[in-house]
Amino acid sequence: MVAAESSTAPVASTSNGTTAPAEPRVTFMLDNYDSFTYNLYQYLCLAGANVVVARNDAITIAEIEALNPRNVVISPGPGHPTTDSGISRELIKTFAGRVPILGVCMGMQCMFDAFGGEVSHAGEIIHGKTSQVKHDGRGLFRDVPQDIPSTRYHSLAPKLSTFPPELALTATTAESGVVMGLRHRKYTVEGVQYHPESILSEGGRKLMENFLALEGGTWAENPAFGVSSPTKPPPALASTKGVSSSSKLPTILDKIQAQRLVDVATAKASPGKTPADLRKLLELSLCPPQISFVDRVRADPLRPAVMAEVKRASPSKGLIAGSANAAEQALAYARAGASVISVLTEPTWFKGSLDDMRLAREAVATLPNRPAILRKDFILDTYQIDEARLYGADSVLLIVAMLAPEQLKALHTYALGLGIEPLVEVNNAKEMEVALELGARVIGVNNRNLHDFEVDMGTTSRLADMVKGRDVTLCALSGITGRKDVEVYIDQGVGAVLVGEALMRSADPKAFIHELLGVPAAPSATTTSSPSSAPLVKICGLSTVKDALVAKDAGADFLGLIFAEKSKRRVTLAQAQVIAAAVCQGARSTASEPAPVSRTATWFEHHAASLAAASSARPLLVGVFQNQPLETILATAAAVPLDLVQLHGSEPAEWARLIPVPVIRVFHVSDDGAGLRDVHRVGYNAAVLLDTATGKGTSGGAGHAFDWSVAEKVRQPFVLAGGLDPTNVREAVEKVRPWAVDVSSGVETDGVKDEEKIRALLKAAKGTA
């Protein structure tokens, strides 16, 4: 324990009639392991207190009673009052009605809990920021100015619906109505949520002086503080169900709605983001392509469809996954089988952004069966719908509870005009009637009441019958934690479930989504080689019909014709046409059907499967070019004709979108791993080829291998080249499991293709030797 003496001490009479200083009664402060305890200690000492401090696990109630304290202070602290405050609540119960008690931050929360209230998330996550505070001007707030800037460090607050009748609300934030002060109606027990001892808070010294001026354990003993006055509370705070406030306190939804109005007004006034700017961008078609939200939700055979949410935080839970990467999360959801990716874009309470949605959209853009993108926000202006469209949303959320009927209809109509079918959210039968009258085709029943954020999983069940027989997909939103919840809704005709927090906290989103869908967790969809599958083989640098037919007969999947001007294996257009004609004359008898489109395949996996299926009929002709004009490539590809183009130089990635056949792009790899930049970029080339860098930004043809362990960094199907031959290709295949191998000089003798080596390499690569 530590103590500090007051600058003035009371006096007492001695036996000889003289006077001597009497031992002052102490102010006892319980430290909840918080750095602000020292600041409180300073303020109390400056106000004249003799302070004794002990930590919440280093002293007993009996020892504190032995100190005979004049008053008690419960300090701030990290964590929750029920788990992290030591003896704080017991101390409050022991001394309430006996001496004045002050609680600060978690100390106030301990008071609320001690008298039967519940402390939960505040709906705001505030650390080191100031808010203006309104108060009732009584008790500790006597003679303290209104609207004082007050420093806040908290994400928890008293839950208004559990406010004990013994307590009165004394202060709130001016802008959001979060509880900032409470007081016992009878006892001199009072607390503040903010930090009056912070240098940024005003009125803190006066508040401490008021506390130290209190005498005894009841307000009746302290009439000057106005708490027991029969007059009505000042207009700033009136009474609501035993909670003092100026009017009905704003609900969480009210707070969010008010803030979003401010956010939208700010965005509209930003240069380059005005409503006119957004409309111009839409007119220029600078928004990503859409898919039908309704069709995507209804398309998957597995029911119900999963709407997987990207959500960093929430008003009810605080931070959930503050460091989550929206793009990475969205791709994981899509690969697991989600039909919709819901992205929270509200910044204050949910810590989201439009950029999160844009990146999530980009992450899944090239999937052959991508999920629909839902903008999950508090939409109250057509401007937000324009934003949603420009940033890649296929749907937006419209919440019936926060929109007047005419406003809801206007927003719904506007969204449909942009090709967006909204998800209309309801929470009760009256709101469901509004949604049905609106003509909504996808209706989500939120099991969480947005006014108090309480969850009732029966909400969806009670409203399910209202949509039966209608062309409406019913979605269950919020509170879903596993397959057991889903099975109840399936029987009630629910077509989709939205899952947020449980997925964000899951260590394995794929397994979790599979559980929701009721299917066993399957291995990742991939077309890269596995120990039981053989890679495809490309024999490159062919210049004669004979060599091409040998490679074809040996089982090659791709035949490479080099058109690079400086290559010693370069062929003319005429040579290539003769080879192509010969190769295409006879198809293999083992031709298979086109590869099915996987629900969860990535860009490269989809193309790898498609090319593998196509090459089973006959080897595909690949034209190899290096830093040649696009016109030359296009003309050659059409004239031969080529099945694929391989860009082996430093050509722009965008060329892949201008070439009418699939493109293989080379990456010039060195032993230190350099050369792999952008190897995972999707949406352009259909495949990547890793070849040994030879200097000057080129590769290939030298017969040298790079360190194969570098290839293990590539998380997608790839073609391995560089220094491969019949003697080492099997080792390479087993080490890095490439989708395909590419060999040129490794099957040559004295610069000429060697039939024996070609056949030996095919057998070794495919494991048939």
Side-chain angles (χ1 to χ4, degrees), residues 18 109 152 187 218 262 350 475 506 514 528 648 680 694 750:
T18 62
Q109 296 169 11
R152 299 167 61 191
Y187 303 140
T218 66
V262 174
F350 293 89
C475 309
S506 172
H514 282 191
T528 53
H648 211 82
H680 295 111
T694 58
D750 297 329

Side-chain angles (χ1 to χ4, degrees), residues 112 115-117 162-169 183-186 241-243:
F112 192 75
F115 289 101
T162 68
F163 223 99
E166 302 97 318
L167 302 181
L169 176 65
R183 176 192 305 127
H184 197 282
R185 295 178 182 277
K186 180 179 179 181
K241 294 184 180 180
V243 182

Side-chain angles (χ1 to χ4, degrees), residues 22 91 231 236 289 349 611 626:
L91 182 61
T231 60
W349 283 270
L611 292 172
Q626 190 171 59

Side-chain angles (χ1 to χ4, degrees), residues 102 104 140-142 144 148 192 194 196 203-212:
L102 166 64
V104 177
L140 297 185
F141 290 108
R142 184 183 67 169
V144 175
I148 52 173
V192 290
Y194 70 94
R205 294 282 293 276
K206 180 61 179 174
L207 190 144
M208 296 300 163
E209 291 171 5
N210 284 340
F211 172 66
L212 294 178

Side-chain angles (χ1 to χ4, degrees), residues 5-220:
E5 291 188 359
S6 169
S7 56
T8 61
V11 295
S13 298
T14 63
S15 57
N16 61 10
T18 62
T19 59
E23 186 69 26
R25 291 177 67 191
V26 302
T27 292
F28 176 75
M29 180 159 60
L30 191 68
D31 176 18
N32 283 306
Y33 285 84
D34 195 87
S35 59
F36 271 106
T37 300
Y38 182 75
N39 299 66
L40 268 177
Y41 174 88
Q42 273 192 316
Y43 266 42
L44 290 165
C45 290
L46 289 171
N50 179 34
V51 186
V52 173
V53 184
R55 288 199 158 161
N56 64 22
D57 57 357
I59 193 169
T60 65
I61 297 295
E63 288 172 328
I64 298 172
E65 288 188 303
L67 293 173
N68 190 28
R70 180 176 178 273
N71 42 38
V72 170
V73 179
I74 311 297
S75 87
H80 195 281
T82 61
T83 56
D84 304 290
S85 66
I87 64 169
S88 296
R89 293 171 296 156
E90 184 183 358
L91 182 61
I92 293 167
K93 293 175 183 178
T94 300
F95 281 91
R98 294 168 59 182
V99 300
I101 305 176
L102 166 64
V104 177
C105 200
M106 187 168 77
M108 186 202 79
Q109 296 169 11
C110 289
M111 291 176 171
F112 192 75
D113 181 270
F115 289 101
E118 180 183 340
V119 175
S120 61
H121 289 277
E124 301 176 340
I125 303 170
I126 304 293
H127 290 281
K129 295 184 179 180
T130 59
S131 298
Q132 287 186 316
V133 168
K134 289 186 177 294
H135 57 78
D136 67 357
R138 299 178 174 188
L140 297 185
F141 290 108
R142 184 183 67 169
D143 297 329
V144 175
Q146 285 291 345
D147 297 319
I148 52 173
S150 304
T151 307
R152 299 167 61 191
Y153 286 85
H154 71 108
S155 59
L156 302 175
K159 187 176 179 180
L160 292 178
S161 61
T162 68
F163 223 99
E166 302 97 318
L167 302 181
L169 176 65
T170 63
T172 66
T173 54
E175 72 279 6
S176 58
V178 174
V179 175
M180 286 291 110
L182 55 81
R183 176 192 305 127
H184 197 282
R185 295 178 182 277
K186 180 179 179 181
Y187 303 140
T188 49
V189 175
E190 188 161 359
V192 290
Q193 179 64 66
Y194 70 94
H195 287 261
E197 76 282 5
S198 167
I199 193 172
L200 297 178
S201 296
E202 294 185 10
R205 294 282 293 276
K206 180 61 179 174
L207 190 144
M208 296 300 163
E209 291 171 5
N210 284 340
F211 172 66
L212 294 178
L214 292 172
E215 298 287 347
T218 66
W219 292 112

Side-chain angles (χ1 to χ4, degrees), residues 180-494:
M180 286 291 110
L182 55 81
R183 176 192 305 127
H184 197 282
R185 295 178 182 277
K186 180 179 179 181
Y187 303 140
T188 49
V189 175
E190 188 161 359
V192 290
Q193 179 64 66
Y194 70 94
H195 287 261
E197 76 282 5
S198 167
I199 193 172
L200 297 178
S201 296
E202 294 185 10
R205 294 282 293 276
K206 180 61 179 174
L207 190 144
M208 296 300 163
E209 291 171 5
N210 284 340
F211 172 66
L212 294 178
L214 292 172
E215 298 287 347
T218 66
W219 292 112
E221 299 171 77
N222 296 272
F225 287 84
V227 175
S228 298
S229 171
T231 60
K232 293 182 179 180
L237 293 168
S239 179
T240 300
K241 294 184 180 180
V243 182
S244 300
S245 64
S246 59
S247 60
K248 181 180 180 294
L249 281 173
T251 67
I252 295 175
L253 180 59
D254 295 333
K255 300 172 193 174
I256 296 173
Q257 184 174 1
Q259 182 60 49
R260 289 313 268 155
L261 286 168
V262 174
D263 296 340
V264 170
T266 301
K268 285 182 173 181
S270 301
K273 293 184 178 181
T274 67
D277 290 323
L278 266 57
R279 286 193 294 271
K280 177 57 68 176
L281 295 173
L282 289 170
E283 290 171 6
L284 292 172
S285 297
L286 296 180
C287 44
Q290 289 171 295
I291 61 174
S292 167
F293 175 61
V294 176
D295 291 348
R296 189 63 182 87
V297 170
R298 298 177 179 179
D300 284 332
L302 297 174
R303 309 304 290 165
V306 171
M307 302 169 130
E309 192 155 85
V310 179
K311 178 166 68 173
R312 293 193 182 91
S314 79
S316 60
K317 299 296 184 180
L319 278 177
I320 296 169
S323 61
N325 182 287
E328 182 179 47
Q329 200 79 13
L331 185 58
Y333 291 163
R335 297 295 310 280
S339 299
V340 176
I341 306 296
S342 169
V343 184
L344 264 301
T345 59
E346 192 283 324
T348 303
W349 283 270
F350 293 89
K351 307 304 177 188
S353 69
L354 281 167
D355 280 338
D356 284 339
M357 187 175 72
R358 179 184 66 81
L359 292 169
R361 170 68 174 80
E362 185 67 21
V364 303
T366 60
L367 299 181
N369 189 32
R370 77 164 177 88
I373 301 296
L374 167 68
R375 182 183 186 184
K376 185 89 173 290
D377 207 321
F378 299 81
I379 304 295
L380 38 75
D381 194 298
T382 56
Y383 178 86
Q384 293 168 285
I385 300 176
D386 286 345
E387 286 181 321
R389 183 69 193 92
L390 284 168
Y391 280 77
D394 301 297
S395 181
V396 297
L397 181 71
L398 297 180
I399 303 173
V400 174
M402 65 173 278
L403 299 170
E406 61 276 8
Q407 186 183 18
L408 174 65
K409 183 176 181 180
L411 292 171
H412 187 263
T413 301
Y414 188 84
L416 293 177
L418 290 180
I420 292 174
E421 180 70 45
L423 169 63
V424 179
E425 178 184 310
V426 303
N427 181 251
N428 54 51
K430 183 178 179 180
E431 292 175 3
M432 176 65 84
E433 289 174 356
V434 172
L436 292 172
E437 184 178 350
L438 184 69
R441 298 178 64 195
V442 185
I443 298 177
V445 179
N446 198 341
N447 294 313
R448 176 176 282 113
N449 186 315
L450 290 179
H451 293 289
D452 58 16
F453 270 62
E454 289 295 301
V455 174
D456 177 359
M457 295 300 289
T459 306
T460 300
S461 302
R462 289 191 293 272
L463 301 181
D465 286 343
M466 295 182 70
V467 303
K468 286 185 177 179
R470 298 174 180 264
D471 182 27
V472 172
T473 296
L474 186 66
C475 309
L477 317 179
S478 296
I480 296 160
T481 60
R483 180 65 183 177
K484 185 177 180 180
D485 296 326
V486 172
E487 287 174 347
V488 173
Y489 292 141
I490 291 175
D491 294 338
Q492 297 165 355
V494 171

